[in-house]
Amino acid sequence: MPEIFSRIVGTGSALPKRSVSNVALACELAQRGVETSDEWIRTRTGIENRYLAEESETTTVLAERAARMALESARIAPEDVDLIVVATTTPDQVFPSTACQLQARLKAKKGAAFDIQAVCAGFVYAVSVADAMIRTGVYRNALVVGADVMSRLIDWSDRTTCVLFGDGAGAVVLAASEKPGVLAAKMASNGELGMDVLSCPGRMEGGALNGDGFLRMDGQQVFRTAVGMMTESAKEVLAMAALTIEDVDRYVPHQANLRIMQKIAEKLGLPDEQVVVTVTRHGNTSAASVPLALDSAVREGKIQEGDAVLMQAVGAGMAWGSLLVRF
């Protein structure tokens, strides 16, 4: 029998209705006693805008919108999906999983559905897992979604985090193929690095929140760690695929901070025009970051059939990973 591979055959994305510019956010924060400005945010992060969900725009709602767009792009009906993997840190409830709720909303009645929690690295992890499961020959069509409503975890009195994050969802459809699509995938983590660097330490206990339910971050340490991890991870997947950085047509990194993205591209030797940048418009959308940027690039014609695309993300844990994909 021929070897089985997986290919990305459709992409989709979804954003909340409410768009909030830096200027508007600064005005809102000033009413809470937090001082910031458009210039302060832009010069440190590159972010100019983000989308914030209303109460009715849940993680599952955004995931469904992105999923339906990806399925339409792939020309695959929900009933033909036999695997759903959702990467999220902000599920609507403790259980059942967001993936199972999405499966019900899509009426995709066959196969398996489960969530992955690797925070900002979640989508890369989810694609890596779905690719491996398709390669077994048991599954044919996988829907992979990264969706987060990070505004639910934000302490709006903490200027170091509240200006960074936005909400959204992105999705891809992976289909079994005799032609390689996912050329290489590598996940990694180091729990010793992550406990005090980036966390949301609260937990549910006795029917109520026990501890701190807000996102906390050491931004400088995250910057240093992210640059080193993602640079080395990119080299690893390129070696796995027997390719060099010159073979990469487009780079889609985690959209957390423009300066981090530029530094990694510089260390890898990638020119600015090959880097997909949406952090300016969306902010850091955690697990939705990479698929949102990917869908944007596909729909804008920046990624064409045959292109080699490097995708990367790093998140709390610390967890990180890279994907090298041929479109």
Side-chain angles (χ1 to χ4, degrees), residues 103-314:
Q103 185 184 40
R105 294 174 75 105
L106 293 174
K107 293 182 170 52
K109 297 182 179 180
K110 67 178 182 179
F114 58 89
D115 289 357
I116 282 180
Q117 211 276 51
V119 199
C120 300
F123 177 76
V124 171
Y125 269 53
V127 171
S128 300
V129 169
D131 170 62
M133 293 178 75
I134 286 175
R135 285 172 178 260
T136 67
V138 176
Y139 302 94
R140 298 289 301 173
N141 296 312
L143 174 62
V144 181
V145 183
D148 270 314
V149 183
M150 295 301 289
S151 60
R152 309 278 203 258
L153 304 180
I154 295 301
D155 178 355
W156 294 101
S157 67
D158 179 6
R159 185 175 70 164
T160 63
T161 58
C162 69
V163 301
L164 302 178
F165 292 90
D167 305 327
V172 298
V173 175
L174 289 175
S177 172
E178 295 183 5
K179 185 178 179 182
V182 178
L183 305 178
K186 182 67 181 293
M187 300 177 287
S189 62
N190 186 337
E192 293 182 353
L193 294 176
M195 296 303 104
D196 300 320
V197 175
L198 179 57
S199 67
C200 182
R203 66 181 185 274
M204 290 298 296
E205 186 175 302
L209 177 67
N210 184 327
D212 187 357
F214 290 126
L215 182 154
R216 304 299 181 189
M217 182 173 69
D218 180 343
Q220 291 185 343
Q221 185 60 44
V222 169
F223 189 110
R224 291 190 292 269
T225 304
V227 170
M229 287 174 171
M230 291 174 72
T231 301
E232 291 307 309
S233 182
K235 294 176 181 178
E236 287 179 347
V237 292
L238 286 166
M240 289 168 64
L243 297 177
T244 67
I245 198 65
E246 287 75 22
D247 297 310
V248 174
D249 298 293
R250 197 66 65 180
Y251 177 46
V252 185
H254 173 43
Q255 308 286 312
N257 182 303
L258 184 58
R259 294 194 303 171
I260 292 177
M261 295 157 61
Q262 290 173 334
K263 187 66 174 178
I264 296 168
E266 177 187 340
K267 290 174 75 70
L268 290 174
L270 281 166
D272 290 344
E273 58 268 21
Q274 287 182 247
V275 182
V276 175
V277 176
T278 59
V279 68
T280 52
R281 311 195 305 259
H282 302 154
N284 183 348
T285 55
S286 191
S289 163
V290 171
L292 269 172
L294 178 67
D295 183 58
S296 175
V298 168
R299 293 179 187 278
E300 291 170 7
K302 294 179 181 178
I303 294 176
Q304 302 288 336
E305 186 176 353
D307 282 352
V309 179
L310 173 63
M311 291 178 270
Q312 292 190 289
V314 59

Side-chain angles (χ1 to χ4, degrees), residues 15-59:
L15 292 164
K17 295 176 183 177
R18 184 183 173 216
S19 174
V20 181
S21 69
N22 287 346
V23 173
L25 181 64
C27 289
E28 292 182 19
L29 292 176
Q31 296 175 11
R32 300 170 182 259
V34 179
E35 293 186 11
T36 191
S37 67
D38 172 50
E39 181 183 10
W40 191 91
I41 299 169
R42 279 190 296 106
T43 55
R44 287 163 176 77
T45 69
I47 298 169
E48 300 173 8
N49 192 78
R50 77 283 295 141
Y51 290 79
L52 300 179
E54 302 293 346
E55 185 176 354
S56 62
E57 294 175 307
T58 65
T59 297

